[in-house]
Amino acid sequence: MTDGLAAPRVTKRRARTRADLLAAAFAVFAAKGFGRVSIEEVCEAAGYSRGAFYSNFATLDELFFALYQERADLIAAQVADALAQDGPGLDVPACVDRVTEVLLLDVDWLLVKTDFLVHAARDPDTARALLDHRARLREAVAERLRRAQGHTELPAVLGDADGAAHAVVAAYDGVTTQLLLDKDVPAARAWLKQLLTALLTDGSRTS
């Protein structure tokens, strides 16, 4: 009976340790860059030993990917929630407003994400995992656009819902690259709103 009660406490403690390591790693990676960070620096920032690190992650790469997965899942959820609020049809301008208002646009995250992209470009296994996450984000957009077919017309130049989803993610990538350089979040949100509206409505917008 005692063992049955103890297990949840251990699980809770490990979950908290993992969360603390991820939070500390995010701050250290953003400040120094992935290739310049050691396990010891992450442990020191989190206030844990190397043993605590290795009880949660086998390598720094594994922690880095877990960090990316956590933020990528958050962005996918934000997009999916914003897209789910209309009926069968899709009010594109209103939907664009919702997405750009809630979407995570954080310079520190973009620094970490850029490091991850560069790392993935040199590592095929990491690249495959990253492509899978990006495909899930595109699918969240494409699935909503497919449900709107017959109710909402998209510009023919985008092709099908998958083509439109690729365009949406490409627009996000372009705007966040500019944000990484000028660090102007309000301008990034405004530009992303204009760009997505132009992409999905041929530039027209109803009031």
Side-chain angles (χ1 to χ4, degrees), residues 87-164:
L90 184 65
D91 182 341
V92 172
C95 186
V96 167
D97 283 348
R98 287 196 302 270
V99 168
T100 53
E101 282 168 9
V102 304
L103 194 60
L104 178 67
L105 291 174
D106 176 73
V107 174
D108 284 345
W109 159 239
L110 294 176
L111 287 167
V112 173
K113 176 186 170 184
T114 300
D115 276 345
F116 194 77
L117 287 169
V118 172
H119 178 57
R122 295 186 173 94
D123 185 287
D125 290 336
T126 305
R128 281 191 291 273
L130 178 56
L131 287 170
D132 176 66
H133 279 282
R134 289 174 65 80
R136 285 170 48 216
L137 176 58
R138 288 196 304 270
E139 180 56 27
V141 177
E143 191 277 334
R144 181 62 186 92
L145 295 176
R146 282 193 289 268
R147 284 194 289 117
Q149 287 176 346
H151 302 276
T152 303
E153 185 176 351
L154 294 172
V157 69
L158 295 177
D160 58 11
D162 289 327

